[in-house]
Amino acid sequence: MKNTTPIIPVSEPECQVKSWKNLLKNAITTTDALLAAVDLQANQLGYEITEDSGFSLRVPQPYIDKIKSGDPLDPLLLQVLTQKQELEEVTGYNRDPLQENNNQTPGLLHKYQGRVLLILASACAVNCRYCFRRHFPYQDQMASGDQLSQSLQYIAADTSISEVILSGGDPLMVSDRALVSLFDRLDAIPHLKRVRIHSRLPVVIPQRLTPTFVDRLSSSRLTTSMVLHINHANEIDKLLIEHLAPLRLAGIQLLNQSVLLKQVNDNLPTLKALSESLFDAGILPYYLHLLDKVAGAAHFDVSTQQAVALIQSLREQLPGYLIPRLAVEEAGKPSKTVIA
Ligand SMILES: *Cc1c(COP(=O)(O)O)cnc(C)c1O
Ligand code: SF4
């Protein structure tokens, strides 16, 4: 190339960090701002909303960009807008449906053989209205500093553990610096084989998948995978696909788990489009979860019977590798229960 004008090196990691942290900081947190952003007025919705649901509204701009303007029933909007129905008390729905609020080592859940869940962060970039952890006392469950060291000691002492699952809150809420240091420590535990990251953050802020993060993941000696939490094909846009590409190139297995949600994805065309769009983006469908019966989320419930029928119809229309396992989490069981 002729043009050899020296280019002033831009500190790429630095601007990447700024961009995702800014998007996080500037997330919308009020119903007024959210409705304005999607060009709706409260009286056009056909349902009531509340500012005071006990689990705050929180949604970053890149996710808002995927919501269709002017549609009160947009499947993405329904996942983030605080409806008054959340305040209704419904029999069978309680605050800790998985009875997870009783683990011995804070920040570590060892329920399933060979796998431990490391709870890295106390919060999420988005507050999904159906979240089973909406009443979870995160502050007590955070793995940081001494707690993290304790958890890592626990993992190092138990040679039956082969996989560490980074979870939360959302594990990608922590800084790249902290993740790099954590990977250094995990790589050094000889009996570990795999590390898996469960995150919804890339779906709401794709810019979170920084080069620093992807590089550290791909240089790990452990086999790494990432389970995204995508519930609808509209959540997969160009920005997300672009930011997932480096992970795919690095050979990191991309999987997805969804929650089956009334009015959001509880019909055949939507589930079919979801599986197909996931695959186009290099992601394999893994689990489709039945809703955990958490207080405040009853309006999202889909019956088991309907869920099984949906999966059966999906199986008639798609190849086997595009069918997620329909699963439910039952307190006290040694694994998730696959029902179809
Ligand atoms: C879902 C889950 C796992 C992982 O289960 P897989 O079937 O391996 O995906 C591990 N620990 C806990 C507590 C879980 O909820
Ligand atoms: S990202 Fe997951 S853990 Fe966080 S609020 Fe949404 S459902 Fe809950």
Side-chain angles (χ1 to χ4, degrees), residues 205-272:
I205 306 179
Q207 294 89 333
R208 175 63 191 92
L209 301 172
T210 62
T212 307
F213 166 70
V214 177
D215 287 350
R216 186 60 191 90
L217 221 57
S218 52
S219 67
S220 173
R221 72 161 188 90
L222 301 159
T223 306
T224 52
S225 60
M226 176 126 113
V227 182
L228 295 148
H229 291 199
I230 298 171
N231 296 321
H232 194 284
N234 293 359
E235 293 177 359
I236 305 168
D237 64 350
K238 196 160 156 276
L239 192 68
L240 177 60
I241 293 170
E242 276 170 14
H243 281 83
L244 288 173
L247 290 155
R248 296 168 61 186
L249 279 174
I252 293 155
Q253 180 74 58
L254 300 178
L255 300 165
N256 185 63
Q257 75 173 38
S258 313
V259 182
L260 187 59
L261 300 165
K262 189 171 167 181
Q263 280 196 306
V264 172
N265 58 12
D266 62 334
N267 63 76
L268 189 57
T270 300
L271 289 177
K272 192 178 171 196

Side-chain angles (χ1 to χ4, degrees), residues 55 123-128 130-133 138 168-170 200 229:
F55 179 53
C124 293
V126 60
N127 285 348
C128 312
Y130 55 85
C131 182
F132 77 96
R133 289 200 169 113
Y138 282 121
D170 198 306
R200 184 150 160 84
H229 291 199

Side-chain angles (χ1 to χ4, degrees), residues 98 100 109-112 115-117 132-133 163 165 196 198 227 257 286-287 289 329 335-336:
L98 304 186
E100 278 189 348
L109 270 177
H110 191 184
K111 282 208 308 198
Y112 298 167
R115 292 151 287 170
V116 293
L117 219 69
F132 77 96
R133 289 200 169 113
E163 179 171 18
I165 302 166
R196 187 193 328 171
H198 274 252
V227 182
Q257 75 173 38
Y286 179 31
Y287 280 127
H289 277 269
E329 188 112 28
S335 74
K336 295 190 206 305

Side-chain angles (χ1 to χ4, degrees), residues 6 134 191 194 213 237 264 274 283 288:
R134 54 183 293 157
H191 56 266
R194 294 180 297 280
F213 166 70
D237 64 350
V264 172
L274 173 58
I283 310 164
L288 177 64

